[in-house]
Amino acid sequence: MNQPDIDWKHLPFGYYPTDYNVRCYFRDGKWGEIEVSQSDKIELHMAATSLHYGQELFEGLKAFRGKDGKIRIFRLEDNGTRLQDSANGILMEPVPADLFREMVIKAVKLNERFIPPYGSGASLYIRPLEIGISPSIGVRSATEYMFMIMVTPVGPYFKTGFGCTDICIMRQYDRVAPRGTGRYKIGGNYAASLAASHHAHEMGYSAVLFLDPKEKKYLDECGPANFFAIIDGKYVTPKSDSILPSITNRALQQLARDMGIEVEERHITVDELEKATEAGACGTAAVISPVGTIHDEDTGKDYVISADRKPGPVCTALYERLNAIRLGEYPDEYGWNTIVE
Ligand code: PLP
Ligand code: COI
């Protein structure tokens, strides 16, 4: 296998072109054949619903190369299910589970030479994407859809990797509405978060810890990730209808329980951060990004979670266990990995 000349250990979380992508169209009420393309361009009608009315959704999952040389894709089925939920949420055509699975595996296999080597800390990020392609000027859902999967090798999402990062609370922005689309993985939510993220970055913070959009009382989504904290020795994470149900967070909850740590999914008020001994942003891209300080821009208060700027013991244990499972070094008790034959 002719591996590309990449500095795997210093890969950013960015777009690196790979050899192939896979595509499938929904037309005349049915999904067609899977197509393989070497072009990273698509041709689109200028009145496509995705361009005008935001009919776009995506997913994010990763493939890893283990010490045993095997390729493992983490929680593929769950991403497929969530993609269907997002599709139903904004009236797009859900991609059947079998088609999703076949296309993910195909995209990974075709680009095998871009799967980072074991030990590099990098992974192959898999980005499934669906868009409405039929033209409409009236506000309605499309009759035709394009589903595609591209892959790209990536390093850590937050520059600090598994080092502490600082985040901030700002009340002047909402990412989503209380009964809006926050629980779906659709482009519109990310567009709605850009100004807030930009503001946070300008102030030196890596992400915004959004508060619930109704009362601004409870912790909600953490930029492009879920949030958790260790409070009174428990793994506590927001219960909210306006955050994405993170597959990583669900995995971490299971691993925490396995380690004898109680898990609570509940409303968390801002002032409870005083009691947090550890905190993290979690997601496919973020994995676990331990949080150093949380700055409240409106009150001026700093919640110092990690005074020594080191990841705490629970974050470290969860991170190591999660990685060990994904690399095939710890038993995959819950069947989370799909091994690519
Ligand atoms: N929240 C948002 C807004 C995200 O974009 C992501 C990334 O997918 C997550 C949470 C984490 O979800 P997952 O762990 O399924 O990747
Ligand atoms: C992911 O974690 O997979 C994401 O989609 C986060 C972000 C890059 C949008």
Side-chain angles (χ1 to χ4, degrees), residues 13 58-62 79 82 125-127 157 185 190 223-225 244 246 248 282-287:
F13 189 91
F58 65 100
E59 266 305 326
L61 59 165
K62 281 177 171 172
N79 285 90
R82 192 172 63 190
Y125 186 68
I126 306 164
R127 173 54 68 84
Y157 188 79
K185 201 161 171 64
Y190 297 81
L244 190 74
S246 158
T248 312
C282 64
T284 298
V287 194

Side-chain angles (χ1 to χ4, degrees), residues 78-291:
D78 298 274
N79 285 90
T81 304
R82 192 172 63 190
L83 184 131
Q84 294 181 335
D85 293 342
S86 298
N88 290 323
I90 56 167
L91 291 192
M92 291 175 63
E93 186 60 34
V95 175
D98 289 350
L99 178 63
F100 180 81
R101 184 187 169 81
E102 190 180 342
M103 286 177 69
V104 169
I105 292 174
K106 201 174 186 95
V108 169
K109 273 189 175 169
L110 286 168
N111 295 291
E112 188 180 341
R113 69 192 190 97
F114 293 93
I115 303 174
Y118 171 80
S120 63
S123 56
L124 188 75
Y125 186 68
I126 306 164
R127 173 54 68 84
L129 172 73
E130 184 179 350
I131 54 174
I133 56 171
S134 48
S136 180
I137 288 300
V139 181
R140 64 174 70 88
S141 61
T143 52
E144 297 183 350
Y145 292 89
M146 178 182 191
F147 176 56
M148 60 205 124
I149 301 183
M150 61 183 188
V151 301
T152 189
V154 295
Y157 188 79
F158 292 112
K159 279 200 281 292
T160 41
F162 190 63
C164 280
T165 194
D166 297 331
I167 59 177
C168 68
I169 294 171
M170 285 189 279
R171 289 166 187 74
Q172 62 182 294
Y173 299 100
D174 286 319
R175 175 184 154 267
V176 289
R179 288 169 198 230
T181 55
R183 62 187 185 283
Y184 306 127
K185 201 161 171 64
I186 59 172
N189 294 343
Y190 297 81
S193 75
L194 288 177
S197 307
H198 180 70
H199 190 166
H201 292 160
E202 277 191 331
M203 294 193 305
Y205 299 100
S206 61
V208 180
L209 178 52
F210 290 97
L211 299 185
D212 78 275
K214 187 169 179 202
E215 297 185 74
K216 293 276 202 272
K217 202 167 151 189
Y218 306 111
L219 308 182
D220 214 55
E221 196 72 296
C222 185
N226 274 186
F227 178 81
F228 69 88
I230 306 303
I231 298 176
D232 297 330
K234 296 176 191 161
Y235 179 106
V236 184
T237 190
K239 183 176 176 59
S240 163
D241 286 337
S242 52
I243 63 176
L244 190 74
S246 158
I247 294 163
T248 312
N249 191 354
R250 227 184 315 143
L252 296 178
Q253 292 176 30
Q254 185 60 55
L255 299 180
R257 278 190 216 99
D258 292 352
M259 293 172 186
I261 298 166
E262 220 178 294
V263 171
E264 283 180 354
E265 204 180 342
R266 61 168 173 83
H267 290 327
I268 310 170
T269 56
V270 177
D271 53 13
E272 279 190 79
L273 289 172
E274 295 270 23
K275 293 194 292 176
T277 49
E278 295 182 48
C282 64
T284 298
V287 194
I288 294 179
S289 284
V291 171

Side-chain angles (χ1 to χ4, degrees), residues 4-26:
D5 184 21
I6 293 178
D7 181 5
W8 302 104
K9 282 204 160 80
H10 300 103
L11 254 185
F13 189 91
Y15 178 72
Y16 188 98
T18 52
D19 291 335
Y20 302 98
N21 56 80
V22 292
R23 304 159 180 219
C24 190
Y25 293 89
F26 182 87

